[in-house]
Amino acid sequence: MYANHPERFTQGRPSAKLPPAEVCINPIPDDADLATIEKGVNFPTLSRVIEKAT
């Protein structure tokens, strides 16, 4: 489309961005303690989630 009608693209040639390498709903923070990292749970206030993770 750009080759046929470049005047339609006021901001120049469009470019497709790459998707992110990693996507997390609840990422574990960098300052998390070792127990949280090993369990893979970043909301330790939910005891039932921690029990399922072990």
Side-chain angles (χ1 to χ4, degrees):
M1 291 303 294
Y2 180 78
N4 293 335
H5 303 282
E7 69 278 1
R8 293 182 181 175
F9 300 87
T10 59
Q11 297 180 3
R13 185 184 249 335
S15 62
K17 295 181 181 179
L18 294 175
E22 182 178 285
V23 178
C24 297
I25 295 173
N26 293 320
I28 297 176
D30 295 333
D31 61 344
D33 60 345
L34 187 58
T36 302
I37 294 171
E38 287 177 353
K39 291 178 183 175
V41 178
N42 70 345
F43 41 93
T45 55
L46 298 176
S47 59
R48 68 175 188 269
V49 173
I50 293 173
E51 290 172 8
K52 288 182 181 180
T54 57

Short mmCIF file of all heavy atoms in Angstrom, two decimals:
data_model
loop_
_atom_site.label_atom_id
_atom_site.label_comp_id
_atom_site.label_asym_id
_atom_site.label_seq_id
_atom_site.Cartn_x
_atom_site.Cartn_y
_atom_site.Cartn_z
N MET A 1 0.83 -1.19 0.00
CA MET A 1 0.00 0.00 0.00
C MET A 1 0.87 1.26 0.00
O MET A 1 0.54 2.23 -0.66
CB MET A 1 -0.93 0.00 1.20
CG MET A 1 -2.02 -1.06 1.17
SD MET A 1 -3.09 -1.00 -0.29
CE MET A 1 -3.91 0.54 -0.08
N TYR A 2 1.96 1.22 0.74
CA TYR A 2 2.82 2.40 0.80
C TYR A 2 3.45 2.68 -0.56
O TYR A 2 3.55 3.84 -0.97
CB TYR A 2 3.91 2.21 1.85
CG TYR A 2 4.85 3.38 1.96
CD1 TYR A 2 4.45 4.52 2.65
CD2 TYR A 2 6.10 3.37 1.38
CE1 TYR A 2 5.29 5.62 2.76
CE2 TYR A 2 6.94 4.46 1.46
CZ TYR A 2 6.53 5.58 2.17
OH TYR A 2 7.36 6.67 2.26
N ALA A 3 3.86 1.64 -1.26
CA ALA A 3 4.47 1.82 -2.57
C ALA A 3 3.48 2.43 -3.56
O ALA A 3 3.86 3.26 -4.40
CB ALA A 3 5.00 0.49 -3.09
N ASN A 4 2.23 2.05 -3.49
CA ASN A 4 1.22 2.56 -4.42
C ASN A 4 0.72 3.95 -4.04
O ASN A 4 0.39 4.75 -4.92
CB ASN A 4 0.03 1.61 -4.49
CG ASN A 4 0.40 0.28 -5.13
OD1 ASN A 4 1.35 0.20 -5.90
ND2 ASN A 4 -0.34 -0.75 -4.77
N HIS A 5 0.62 4.26 -2.75
CA HIS A 5 0.04 5.54 -2.30
C HIS A 5 0.83 6.12 -1.13
O HIS A 5 0.32 6.21 -0.01
CB HIS A 5 -1.42 5.34 -1.88
CG HIS A 5 -2.27 4.76 -2.94
ND1 HIS A 5 -2.75 5.51 -4.00
CD2 HIS A 5 -2.73 3.51 -3.13
CE1 HIS A 5 -3.48 4.73 -4.79
NE2 HIS A 5 -3.48 3.51 -4.28
N PRO A 6 2.06 6.53 -1.33
CA PRO A 6 2.86 7.06 -0.21
C PRO A 6 2.28 8.34 0.38
O PRO A 6 2.53 8.66 1.54
CB PRO A 6 4.24 7.30 -0.82
CG PRO A 6 4.01 7.39 -2.28
CD PRO A 6 2.81 6.54 -2.58
N GLU A 7 1.47 9.08 -0.38
CA GLU A 7 0.89 10.32 0.13
C GLU A 7 -0.11 10.08 1.25
O GLU A 7 -0.41 10.97 2.05
CB GLU A 7 0.22 11.11 -1.01
CG GLU A 7 -1.03 10.48 -1.58
CD GLU A 7 -0.81 9.38 -2.63
OE1 GLU A 7 0.35 9.06 -2.95
OE2 GLU A 7 -1.82 8.84 -3.11
N ARG A 8 -0.62 8.87 1.37
CA ARG A 8 -1.57 8.54 2.44
C ARG A 8 -0.87 8.38 3.79
O ARG A 8 -1.51 8.44 4.84
CB ARG A 8 -2.32 7.25 2.11
CG ARG A 8 -3.25 7.38 0.93
CD ARG A 8 -3.97 6.07 0.72
NE ARG A 8 -4.86 6.14 -0.42
CZ ARG A 8 -5.54 5.12 -0.89
NH1 ARG A 8 -5.45 3.93 -0.29
NH2 ARG A 8 -6.32 5.25 -1.94
N PHE A 9 0.41 8.16 3.76
CA PHE A 9 1.18 7.89 4.97
C PHE A 9 1.94 9.15 5.36
O PHE A 9 3.09 9.35 4.96
CB PHE A 9 2.12 6.70 4.75
CG PHE A 9 1.39 5.43 4.40
CD1 PHE A 9 1.07 5.14 3.08
CD2 PHE A 9 1.01 4.55 5.39
CE1 PHE A 9 0.39 3.98 2.75
CE2 PHE A 9 0.33 3.39 5.07
CZ PHE A 9 0.01 3.10 3.76
N THR A 10 1.30 10.00 6.15
CA THR A 10 1.88 11.30 6.49
C THR A 10 3.08 11.19 7.42
O THR A 10 3.90 12.11 7.46
CB THR A 10 0.82 12.19 7.15
OG1 THR A 10 0.33 11.53 8.32
CG2 THR A 10 -0.33 12.46 6.19
N GLN A 11 3.20 10.09 8.14
CA GLN A 11 4.33 9.93 9.07
C GLN A 11 5.43 9.05 8.50
O GLN A 11 6.29 8.58 9.22
CB GLN A 11 3.84 9.36 10.39
CG GLN A 11 2.86 10.27 11.10
CD GLN A 11 2.38 9.70 12.40
OE1 GLN A 11 2.81 8.63 12.83
NE2 GLN A 11 1.47 10.40 13.05
N GLY A 12 5.41 8.82 7.20
CA GLY A 12 6.44 8.01 6.56
C GLY A 12 6.05 6.55 6.46
O GLY A 12 4.92 6.15 6.73
N ARG A 13 7.01 5.75 6.03
CA ARG A 13 6.79 4.33 5.82
C ARG A 13 6.45 3.65 7.15
O ARG A 13 7.13 3.84 8.14
CB ARG A 13 8.05 3.71 5.24
CG ARG A 13 7.91 2.25 4.87
CD ARG A 13 9.20 1.66 4.41
NE ARG A 13 9.43 1.26 3.06
CZ ARG A 13 8.59 0.91 2.10
NH1 ARG A 13 7.33 0.99 2.32
NH2 ARG A 13 8.97 0.51 0.94
N PRO A 14 5.36 2.86 7.18
CA PRO A 14 5.01 2.16 8.43
C PRO A 14 6.00 1.04 8.72
O PRO A 14 6.61 0.47 7.81
CB PRO A 14 3.62 1.60 8.14
CG PRO A 14 3.53 1.53 6.67
CD PRO A 14 4.41 2.60 6.12
N SER A 15 6.18 0.77 9.99
CA SER A 15 7.06 -0.33 10.38
C SER A 15 6.35 -1.20 11.41
O SER A 15 5.67 -0.70 12.30
CB SER A 15 8.37 0.20 10.96
OG SER A 15 8.12 0.94 12.13
N ALA A 16 6.50 -2.49 11.26
CA ALA A 16 5.89 -3.43 12.20
C ALA A 16 6.86 -3.66 13.36
O ALA A 16 8.02 -3.98 13.16
CB ALA A 16 5.60 -4.75 11.50
N LYS A 17 6.37 -3.46 14.58
CA LYS A 17 7.19 -3.66 15.76
C LYS A 17 7.18 -5.13 16.15
O LYS A 17 6.20 -5.83 15.95
CB LYS A 17 6.68 -2.82 16.92
CG LYS A 17 6.80 -1.34 16.66
CD LYS A 17 6.30 -0.55 17.85
CE LYS A 17 6.41 0.93 17.55
NZ LYS A 17 5.93 1.74 18.67
N LEU A 18 8.29 -5.59 16.71
CA LEU A 18 8.38 -6.96 17.19
C LEU A 18 7.61 -7.09 18.50
O LEU A 18 7.58 -6.16 19.30
CB LEU A 18 9.83 -7.35 17.41
CG LEU A 18 10.70 -7.42 16.15
CD1 LEU A 18 12.15 -7.69 16.54
CD2 LEU A 18 10.20 -8.49 15.22
N PRO A 19 7.01 -8.25 18.74
CA PRO A 19 6.34 -8.45 20.03
C PRO A 19 7.37 -8.51 21.15
O PRO A 19 8.54 -8.82 20.91
CB PRO A 19 5.62 -9.79 19.85
CG PRO A 19 6.36 -10.47 18.77
CD PRO A 19 6.91 -9.41 17.87
N PRO A 20 6.97 -8.24 22.39
CA PRO A 20 7.92 -8.31 23.50
C PRO A 20 8.43 -9.73 23.69
O PRO A 20 7.74 -10.71 23.40
CB PRO A 20 7.11 -7.85 24.70
CG PRO A 20 5.69 -7.95 24.29
CD PRO A 20 5.64 -7.84 22.81
N ALA A 21 9.65 -9.85 24.19
CA ALA A 21 10.28 -11.15 24.40
C ALA A 21 9.59 -11.94 25.51
O ALA A 21 9.51 -13.16 25.46
CB ALA A 21 11.75 -10.97 24.72
N GLU A 22 9.08 -11.22 26.51
CA GLU A 22 8.44 -11.89 27.64
C GLU A 22 7.24 -11.07 28.10
O GLU A 22 7.32 -9.85 28.18
CB GLU A 22 9.44 -12.02 28.79
CG GLU A 22 8.90 -12.74 29.99
CD GLU A 22 9.96 -12.88 31.07
OE1 GLU A 22 10.86 -13.71 30.93
OE2 GLU A 22 9.87 -12.12 32.05
N VAL A 23 6.15 -11.76 28.41
CA VAL A 23 4.95 -11.09 28.89
C VAL A 23 4.52 -11.77 30.19
O VAL A 23 4.45 -12.98 30.26
CB VAL A 23 3.81 -11.18 27.85
CG1 VAL A 23 2.55 -10.53 28.37
CG2 VAL A 23 4.23 -10.54 26.55
N CYS A 24 4.27 -10.96 31.22
CA CYS A 24 3.86 -11.50 32.52
C CYS A 24 2.64 -10.75 33.02
O CYS A 24 2.56 -9.54 32.90
CB CYS A 24 4.98 -11.35 33.54
SG CYS A 24 6.46 -12.26 33.13
N ILE A 25 1.71 -11.47 33.59
CA ILE A 25 0.56 -10.83 34.21
C ILE A 25 0.95 -10.28 35.58
O ILE A 25 0.66 -9.15 35.91
CB ILE A 25 -0.62 -11.83 34.34
CG1 ILE A 25 -1.09 -12.22 32.95
CG2 ILE A 25 -1.74 -11.22 35.16
CD1 ILE A 25 -2.12 -13.32 32.95
N ASN A 26 1.63 -11.08 36.36
CA ASN A 26 2.12 -10.67 37.68
C ASN A 26 3.61 -10.97 37.75
O ASN A 26 4.03 -11.97 38.32
CB ASN A 26 1.39 -11.43 38.79
CG ASN A 26 -0.06 -11.07 38.88
OD1 ASN A 26 -0.41 -9.91 38.73
ND2 ASN A 26 -0.91 -12.03 39.09
N PRO A 27 4.44 -10.11 37.17
CA PRO A 27 5.88 -10.41 37.18
C PRO A 27 6.46 -10.37 38.59
O PRO A 27 6.02 -9.59 39.43
CB PRO A 27 6.47 -9.30 36.32
CG PRO A 27 5.49 -8.20 36.39
CD PRO A 27 4.14 -8.85 36.54
N ILE A 28 7.43 -11.20 38.83
CA ILE A 28 8.10 -11.22 40.13
C ILE A 28 9.07 -10.04 40.14
O ILE A 28 9.89 -9.90 39.25
CB ILE A 28 8.84 -12.55 40.35
CG1 ILE A 28 7.83 -13.69 40.38
CG2 ILE A 28 9.66 -12.51 41.62
CD1 ILE A 28 8.42 -15.06 40.48
N PRO A 29 8.98 -9.17 41.14
CA PRO A 29 9.85 -7.99 41.18
C PRO A 29 11.32 -8.36 41.37
O PRO A 29 11.65 -9.44 41.89
CB PRO A 29 9.32 -7.18 42.37
CG PRO A 29 8.51 -8.13 43.17
CD PRO A 29 8.06 -9.21 42.25
N ASP A 30 12.21 -7.47 40.95
CA ASP A 30 13.64 -7.73 41.06
C ASP A 30 14.10 -7.84 42.51
O ASP A 30 15.07 -8.54 42.80
CB ASP A 30 14.43 -6.61 40.37
CG ASP A 30 14.19 -6.59 38.87
OD1 ASP A 30 13.88 -7.66 38.31
OD2 ASP A 30 14.31 -5.51 38.27
N ASP A 31 13.41 -7.17 43.42
CA ASP A 31 13.82 -7.18 44.82
C ASP A 31 13.10 -8.27 45.64
O ASP A 31 13.10 -8.22 46.86
CB ASP A 31 13.60 -5.82 45.46
CG ASP A 31 12.13 -5.40 45.44
OD1 ASP A 31 11.35 -6.01 44.69
OD2 ASP A 31 11.79 -4.46 46.18
N ALA A 32 12.52 -9.27 44.98
CA ALA A 32 11.80 -10.33 45.69
C ALA A 32 12.78 -11.23 46.42
O ALA A 32 13.92 -11.44 46.00
CB ALA A 32 10.99 -11.16 44.70
N ASP A 33 12.34 -11.77 47.55
CA ASP A 33 13.19 -12.68 48.30
C ASP A 33 13.25 -14.05 47.62
O ASP A 33 12.45 -14.36 46.74
CB ASP A 33 12.72 -12.79 49.75
CG ASP A 33 11.30 -13.32 49.86
OD1 ASP A 33 10.59 -13.32 48.84
OD2 ASP A 33 10.90 -13.73 50.96
N LEU A 34 14.19 -14.86 48.02
CA LEU A 34 14.43 -16.15 47.38
C LEU A 34 13.22 -17.09 47.48
O LEU A 34 12.91 -17.81 46.54
CB LEU A 34 15.66 -16.82 47.99
CG LEU A 34 16.14 -18.10 47.32
CD1 LEU A 34 16.47 -17.83 45.86
CD2 LEU A 34 17.35 -18.66 48.04
N ALA A 35 12.52 -17.06 48.61
CA ALA A 35 11.35 -17.93 48.78
C ALA A 35 10.26 -17.60 47.77
O ALA A 35 9.63 -18.50 47.20
CB ALA A 35 10.81 -17.81 50.20
N THR A 36 10.06 -16.34 47.53
CA THR A 36 9.04 -15.92 46.55
C THR A 36 9.44 -16.34 45.15
O THR A 36 8.62 -16.82 44.38
CB THR A 36 8.85 -14.39 46.60
OG1 THR A 36 8.47 -14.02 47.93
CG2 THR A 36 7.79 -13.94 45.64
N ILE A 37 10.71 -16.20 44.83
CA ILE A 37 11.20 -16.58 43.50
C ILE A 37 11.05 -18.08 43.29
O ILE A 37 10.61 -18.53 42.22
CB ILE A 37 12.65 -16.12 43.32
CG1 ILE A 37 12.72 -14.60 43.32
CG2 ILE A 37 13.25 -16.69 42.04
CD1 ILE A 37 14.11 -14.04 43.36
N GLU A 38 11.39 -18.88 44.30
CA GLU A 38 11.31 -20.34 44.17
C GLU A 38 9.87 -20.80 44.02
O GLU A 38 9.59 -21.74 43.27
CB GLU A 38 11.95 -21.01 45.38
CG GLU A 38 13.46 -20.91 45.37
CD GLU A 38 14.08 -21.51 46.61
OE1 GLU A 38 13.34 -21.89 47.54
OE2 GLU A 38 15.32 -21.59 46.65
N LYS A 39 8.95 -20.16 44.71
CA LYS A 39 7.53 -20.55 44.61
C LYS A 39 6.89 -20.00 43.35
O LYS A 39 5.88 -20.53 42.90
CB LYS A 39 6.77 -20.05 45.85
CG LYS A 39 7.16 -20.76 47.11
CD LYS A 39 6.41 -20.20 48.29
CE LYS A 39 6.87 -20.89 49.57
NZ LYS A 39 6.26 -20.32 50.74
N GLY A 40 7.46 -18.94 42.79
CA GLY A 40 6.89 -18.35 41.58
C GLY A 40 5.62 -17.58 41.86
O GLY A 40 4.80 -17.38 40.97
N VAL A 41 5.44 -17.15 43.10
CA VAL A 41 4.23 -16.42 43.49
C VAL A 41 4.66 -15.05 43.98
O VAL A 41 5.49 -14.95 44.87
CB VAL A 41 3.47 -17.17 44.61
CG1 VAL A 41 2.26 -16.37 45.05
CG2 VAL A 41 3.06 -18.53 44.13
N ASN A 42 4.11 -13.98 43.41
CA ASN A 42 4.53 -12.65 43.84
C ASN A 42 3.46 -11.94 44.67
O ASN A 42 3.54 -10.75 44.89
CB ASN A 42 4.92 -11.79 42.65
CG ASN A 42 3.74 -11.40 41.80
OD1 ASN A 42 2.69 -11.99 41.92
ND2 ASN A 42 3.91 -10.43 40.93
N PHE A 43 2.46 -12.66 45.13
CA PHE A 43 1.47 -12.09 46.04
C PHE A 43 1.30 -13.06 47.21
O PHE A 43 0.32 -13.77 47.32
CB PHE A 43 0.13 -11.80 45.35
CG PHE A 43 -0.31 -12.86 44.38
CD1 PHE A 43 -1.14 -13.89 44.79
CD2 PHE A 43 0.08 -12.81 43.07
CE1 PHE A 43 -1.56 -14.85 43.89
CE2 PHE A 43 -0.33 -13.78 42.17
CZ PHE A 43 -1.15 -14.80 42.58
N PRO A 44 2.30 -13.09 48.09
CA PRO A 44 2.30 -14.08 49.17
C PRO A 44 1.21 -13.87 50.21
O PRO A 44 1.08 -14.68 51.12
CB PRO A 44 3.68 -13.90 49.81
CG PRO A 44 4.10 -12.53 49.45
CD PRO A 44 3.47 -12.23 48.11
N THR A 45 0.39 -12.85 50.09
CA THR A 45 -0.70 -12.66 51.05
C THR A 45 -1.82 -13.66 50.82
O THR A 45 -2.66 -13.86 51.68
CB THR A 45 -1.26 -11.24 50.96
OG1 THR A 45 -1.65 -10.99 49.61
CG2 THR A 45 -0.21 -10.22 51.37
N LEU A 46 -1.86 -14.29 49.66
CA LEU A 46 -2.89 -15.28 49.39
C LEU A 46 -2.37 -16.67 49.76
O LEU A 46 -1.69 -17.33 49.00
CB LEU A 46 -3.29 -15.24 47.91
CG LEU A 46 -3.89 -13.93 47.43
CD1 LEU A 46 -4.16 -14.00 45.93
CD2 LEU A 46 -5.18 -13.63 48.16
N SER A 47 -2.69 -17.11 50.94
CA SER A 47 -2.13 -18.37 51.45
C SER A 47 -2.54 -19.57 50.61
O SER A 47 -1.76 -20.49 50.43
CB SER A 47 -2.55 -18.57 52.90
OG SER A 47 -3.96 -18.60 53.01
N ARG A 48 -3.73 -19.56 50.05
CA ARG A 48 -4.15 -20.73 49.26
C ARG A 48 -3.34 -20.86 47.99
O ARG A 48 -3.09 -21.97 47.51
CB ARG A 48 -5.64 -20.67 48.98
CG ARG A 48 -6.05 -19.56 48.06
CD ARG A 48 -7.56 -19.67 47.73
NE ARG A 48 -7.90 -18.72 46.71
CZ ARG A 48 -8.32 -17.47 46.93
NH1 ARG A 48 -8.46 -17.05 48.16
NH2 ARG A 48 -8.59 -16.67 45.94
N VAL A 49 -2.87 -19.75 47.45
CA VAL A 49 -2.04 -19.80 46.25
C VAL A 49 -0.67 -20.37 46.59
O VAL A 49 -0.13 -21.19 45.86
CB VAL A 49 -1.91 -18.40 45.61
CG1 VAL A 49 -0.93 -18.42 44.46
CG2 VAL A 49 -3.27 -17.91 45.16
N ILE A 50 -0.13 -19.96 47.72
CA ILE A 50 1.16 -20.47 48.14
C ILE A 50 1.07 -21.98 48.41
O ILE A 50 1.96 -22.74 48.04
CB ILE A 50 1.65 -19.73 49.41
CG1 ILE A 50 1.97 -18.27 49.03
CG2 ILE A 50 2.88 -20.39 49.99
CD1 ILE A 50 2.30 -17.40 50.21
N GLU A 51 -0.01 -22.43 49.01
CA GLU A 51 -0.18 -23.86 49.30
C GLU A 51 -0.23 -24.67 48.01
O GLU A 51 0.32 -25.76 47.92
CB GLU A 51 -1.42 -24.09 50.13
CG GLU A 51 -1.29 -23.57 51.55
CD GLU A 51 -2.61 -23.63 52.31
OE1 GLU A 51 -3.59 -24.21 51.79
OE2 GLU A 51 -2.67 -23.09 53.43
N LYS A 52 -0.90 -24.15 46.97
CA LYS A 52 -0.98 -24.85 45.70
C LYS A 52 0.36 -24.87 44.99
O LYS A 52 0.66 -25.81 44.25
CB LYS A 52 -2.02 -24.20 44.80
CG LYS A 52 -3.43 -24.45 45.22
CD LYS A 52 -4.40 -23.81 44.23
CE LYS A 52 -5.84 -24.02 44.67
NZ LYS A 52 -6.79 -23.40 43.72
N ALA A 53 1.18 -23.86 45.20
CA ALA A 53 2.47 -23.77 44.52
C ALA A 53 3.51 -24.72 45.12
O ALA A 53 4.50 -25.02 44.49
CB ALA A 53 2.99 -22.34 44.58
N THR A 54 3.27 -25.19 46.34
CA THR A 54 4.26 -26.07 46.97
C THR A 54 3.93 -27.52 46.79
O THR A 54 2.95 -27.95 46.37
CB THR A 54 4.38 -25.76 48.48
OG1 THR A 54 3.10 -25.91 49.08
CG2 THR A 54 4.94 -24.40 48.68
#
